[in-house]
Amino acid sequence: NASLLGILQHPDGTVLKQLQPPPRGPREQEFYNKVYDSDCCDSILLELREYLPKYFGVWSPPTAPNDTYLKLEDVTRKFNKPCIMDVKIGQKSYDPYASAEKIQQQVSKYPLMEEIGFLVLGMRVYHVSSDSYETQNQHYGRSLTKETVKDGISKFFHSGYCLRKDVVAASIQKVEKILEWFEGQTQLNFYASSLLFVYEGSCQATTVRLSDVTLAEKRRVPKGLLSGGDVLEYNNNINVINSTENGKIEASVSKGLSKFYALHKKACSKRHHSQLSLKVENSEQDNVWKTSTCITQEHLNGNVLPQLEKVFYHVPAETKESANVEVRMIDFAHVFPSNTKDEGYIYGLKNLITVLQNILDN
């Protein structure tokens, strides 16, 4: 996934993005410094942080002190099989200071930018069926027309078995939040900037081991805490940290599953190969329930629901609402101060939302 974005992964959970040559690199660095300034008290910039990768300053390798890298949160890190799409947003992918030559070059790359307002720069989709990734580069995005853009983007949400409508719905909600931010600010205009979409591609088996303590006994524990001070860590798998002193509980619950538990009528696919049985294995020591994310109505009968209810007891309500999806703004080499709304970016976001909504409603 790092190669898709042209960035290096650092073992500490960040990514390193090499600073581009001036003026682009310094401009991007200045943008991050401004938004993440510890003295920042501008509510618009403070809210903007929610939609960016976290920024940890700059870094240079000891061997090459003149090479500067931006140190950024790796938005893909928490995912097991991250599916990633990079979409450039706006009607112009050149900034107001671009030369005629640069404008010509950008326009010729994708003449429809003005009309469509966005361009798919790349995607990497995990196919459950083949346990492999399918990758598309920017030639794929540039080949999309008004007529084919909906199908072109829907490919990103297809697991090989089924269209992940849960992911589409969650993506729309996230993009709408970013649109709201843009509707409320007139201080920055963004050119050639992208949205990065990431979701969990694996139908990971959900395993819950219960030894001498059952989840049911822990029902009255405040949200997010287990007795004994163990903290639930919420990432794409809801992990009950298994480093408890006596190893009382280990649980890993995939959010994809919780979505289907909440909306189990909307089956992932009616085709037989995407259905699965919920197997309940009992042994004296522990019960292990194994399942995965594509669940159909037939499998939620019998005594399975009470079992699932125990599993989900510690899942906070909000995780049941939507699939685990990240949508973050990236690439800020062409951000400029402004005194008007960023109409080009807003136009692109609205068009993208319309396409996503059409994929969902189809």
Side-chain angles (χ1 to χ4, degrees):
N1 50 358
S3 60
L4 174 71
L5 311 171
I7 47 183
L8 305 169
Q9 278 169 314
H10 192 287
D12 69 4
T14 61
V15 290
L16 299 169
K17 178 182 181 179
Q18 188 159 20
L19 218 59
Q20 299 173 68
R24 291 173 300 162
R27 204 187 288 130
E28 182 162 36
Q29 184 182 346
E30 191 188 333
F31 169 80
Y32 274 113
N33 285 340
K34 179 178 174 170
V35 175
Y36 283 93
D37 186 339
S38 55
D39 298 329
C40 175
C41 53
D42 179 336
S43 61
I44 284 176
L45 296 184
L46 292 173
E47 190 195 334
L48 178 58
R49 291 179 186 179
E50 293 176 39
Y51 312 122
L52 310 184
K54 288 189 190 71
Y55 173 61
F56 303 101
V58 292
W59 178 87
S60 295
T63 49
N66 296 330
D67 287 356
T68 307
Y69 291 82
L70 299 171
K71 208 164 188 295
L72 301 165
E73 171 190 9
D74 180 359
V75 181
T76 69
R77 182 179 168 90
K78 66 180 181 178
F79 297 95
N80 179 35
K81 299 286 185 189
C83 297
I84 304 165
M85 178 169 65
D86 182 330
V87 184
K88 189 191 281 192
I89 306 289
Q91 289 178 280
K92 297 180 168 70
S93 53
Y94 51 88
D95 68 47
Y97 303 96
S99 64
E101 190 187 4
K102 177 69 176 174
I103 292 172
Q104 182 50 47
Q105 179 221 351
Q106 286 297 318
V107 170
S108 63
K109 271 189 179 174
Y110 193 58
L112 284 172
M113 196 75 185
E114 191 81 33
E115 209 177 333
I116 293 180
F118 60 85
L119 167 63
V120 176
L121 292 180
M123 65 171 74
R124 183 169 177 265
V125 189
Y126 177 72
H127 284 172
V128 181
S129 40
S130 59
D131 184 27
S132 63
Y133 281 97
E134 181 184 350
T135 303
Q136 302 291 351
N137 64 17
Q138 57 178 311
H139 297 291
Y140 174 80
R142 295 210 298 260
S143 73
L144 299 177
T145 64
K146 287 195 304 256
E147 291 70 37
T148 61
V149 69
K150 178 185 152 206
D151 289 342
I153 285 186
S154 69
K155 189 188 269 279
F156 174 63
F157 299 101
H158 210 284
S159 71
Y161 280 145
C162 57
L163 180 67
R164 292 288 305 274
K165 287 199 170 188
D166 57 320
V167 176
V168 182
S171 298
I172 291 170
Q173 287 183 336
K174 302 256 175 174
V175 178
E176 280 175 340
K177 289 287 290 176
I178 293 171
L179 174 59
E180 268 175 49
W181 181 84
F182 271 89
E183 293 281 19
Q185 70 89 23
T186 56
Q187 54 176 293
L188 293 170
N189 281 3
F190 295 74
Y191 301 90
S193 186
S194 285
L195 287 184
L196 186 71
F197 291 76
V198 191
Y199 71 92
E200 179 57 71
S202 74
C203 278
Q204 231 174 335
T206 298
T207 307
V208 178
R209 290 186 187 281
L210 303 176
S211 46
D212 51 341
V213 176
T214 69
L215 285 174
E217 279 172 52
K218 287 182 174 284
R219 280 190 174 176
R220 288 181 184 75
V221 185
K223 183 170 104 176
L225 278 177
L226 291 178
S227 56
D230 304 317
V231 179
L232 283 168
E233 178 191 327
Y234 300 123
N235 55 15
N236 64 303
N237 296 325
I238 312 303
N239 287 326
V240 181
I241 310 297
N242 56 10
S243 58
T244 50
E245 289 92 24
N246 45 10
K248 279 182 183 168
I249 288 193
E250 291 174 28
S252 168
V253 177
S254 112
K255 272 196 190 172
L257 174 58
S258 55
K259 165 69 179 179
F260 286 106
Y261 172 57
L263 296 172
H264 53 263
K265 287 194 171 66
K266 293 197 173 175
C268 194
S269 164
K270 288 291 175 215
R271 297 202 301 273
H272 65 95
H273 55 238
S274 68
Q275 296 175 0
L276 57 119
S277 54
L278 262 152
K279 206 165 55 178
V280 179
E281 307 166 352
N282 293 309
S283 68
E284 260 181 355
Q285 269 298 293
D286 50 33
N287 300 329
V288 180
W289 300 306
K290 289 196 170 78
T291 180
S292 135
T293 55
C294 292
I295 292 190
T296 55
Q297 179 67 51
E298 306 88 278
H299 297 107
L300 289 170
N301 301 333
N303 66 347
V304 165
L305 278 178
Q307 310 276 30
L308 281 178
E309 250 142 357
K310 283 187 197 168
V311 174
F312 289 118
Y313 218 87
H314 286 294
V315 179
E318 61 271 18
T319 60
K320 293 184 189 172
E321 298 313 307
S322 66
N324 192 30
V325 176
E326 290 288 353
V327 179
R328 303 289 184 96
M329 296 168 62
I330 57 168
D331 294 343
F332 306 112
H334 304 274
V335 179
F336 294 90
S338 164
N339 50 19
T340 59
K341 278 197 206 181
D342 190 339
E343 295 297 351
Y345 200 108
I346 288 171
Y347 176 89
L349 288 180
K350 286 181 173 174
N351 261 6
L352 182 56
I353 289 168
T354 301
V355 170
L356 293 172
Q357 195 61 54
N358 287 341
I359 291 170
L360 190 60
D361 297 340
N362 192 19

